[in-house]
Amino acid sequence: DYIIIKGMPPKTDEVKILRIKVVGGETPNAAQIAPKLSPLGVNPRKVGDDIQKLTKDWKGIKVMIEIKVKNRDAQVTLIPTAAAYVIKAMDEPPRNRKNQKIQKHPESLTMEQVEEIATAMKSRSKAKDFKGVVKEILGACQSVGGTIDGKVPKEVGKMIEKGEVQVEEPQDISDNYF
């Protein structure tokens, strides 16, 4: 004997959390989110529109999105990665993802910008101290091909270890800098 259930799934107090990486300012592909949201009774098109509105300031940059679903109600939260913060701080125009596959990042960040990004990322970092968080941001800068004050990020990291560059956590910057 089989029981066929028609209609929406029942409401529950259980919270489901989905994390998806999307391109900022664009509605995600329906094939990407529909298989995850439809079984939970959530309209993928509505969530896609919410994601587009939420990520409009991050146009063309891949960012992490967290979708919390409770009682068929979806709440979308933006969780930018260190690389997304670095690319946004470089103030580059958004690229056309269909025509331009690989983008060079010739811009140079200042050490102050790196410290501001590290302050924003500190709550999600696994580093023991602020110097470790800054080094994580330098690694993200290395991965996207950026430089710090015209120097390679690995070189700046070595200078921090030797004590040639002092890193201090800014006191007056909030977590919502970007």
Side-chain angles (χ1 to χ4, degrees), residues 9-18 39-42 67-75:
K11 288 189 173 189
T12 63
D13 287 336
E14 185 179 353
V15 177
K16 295 278 187 180
I17 298 175
L18 304 168
L40 301 173
V42 178
I67 304 169
K68 289 183 182 176
V69 180
K70 182 178 181 184
N71 292 335
R72 297 193 304 241
D73 184 38
Q75 183 180 26

Side-chain angles (χ1 to χ4, degrees), residues 2-175:
Y2 293 100
I3 299 173
I4 298 174
I5 299 174
K6 293 184 179 180
M8 301 297 274
K11 288 189 173 189
T12 63
D13 287 336
E14 185 179 353
V15 177
K16 295 278 187 180
I17 298 175
L18 304 168
R19 287 195 175 97
I20 304 171
K21 203 162 201 178
V22 298
V23 178
E26 297 178 11
T27 304
N29 187 357
Q32 183 182 12
I33 61 173
K36 297 174 177 111
L37 294 175
S38 294
L40 301 173
V42 178
N43 183 352
R45 181 175 289 149
K46 181 185 175 299
V47 173
D49 292 342
D50 291 345
I51 290 171
Q52 182 181 12
K53 289 176 194 167
L54 183 67
T55 61
K56 67 180 181 240
D57 293 338
W58 299 82
K59 190 165 178 62
I61 302 171
K62 281 192 173 184
V63 291
M64 187 68 73
I65 294 295
E66 183 178 79
I67 304 169
K68 289 183 182 176
V69 180
K70 182 178 181 184
N71 292 335
R72 297 193 304 241
D73 184 38
Q75 183 180 26
V76 182
T77 310
L78 177 71
I79 307 174
T81 60
Y85 274 127
V86 168
I87 292 171
K88 185 169 178 154
M90 289 182 182
D91 287 333
E92 293 181 356
R95 70 182 172 114
N96 183 350
R97 299 182 66 79
K98 290 186 170 68
N99 299 336
Q100 189 179 1
K101 295 296 180 192
I102 300 174
Q103 183 173 9
K104 302 279 186 195
H105 300 284
E107 304 292 323
S108 182
L109 295 177
T110 63
M111 198 60 198
E112 289 79 27
Q113 286 175 310
V114 171
E115 290 174 357
E116 290 165 359
I117 294 169
T119 303
M121 291 291 296
K122 184 178 180 188
S123 63
R124 292 183 296 174
S125 174
K126 304 268 189 245
K128 292 180 191 174
D129 57 356
F130 188 69
K131 185 166 67 169
V133 180
V134 169
K135 290 171 77 176
E136 285 180 5
I137 303 305
L138 292 175
C141 193
Q142 175 81 28
S143 72
V144 299
T147 58
I148 311 298
D149 295 325
K151 297 180 185 128
V152 179
K154 280 187 175 182
E155 186 179 315
V156 176
K158 289 178 184 174
M159 292 169 67
I160 290 172
E161 279 301 309
K162 292 178 186 174
E164 296 172 19
V165 174
Q166 294 299 317
V167 179
E168 293 182 16
E169 185 172 1
Q171 300 299 322
D172 59 342
I173 296 177
S174 69
D175 285 343

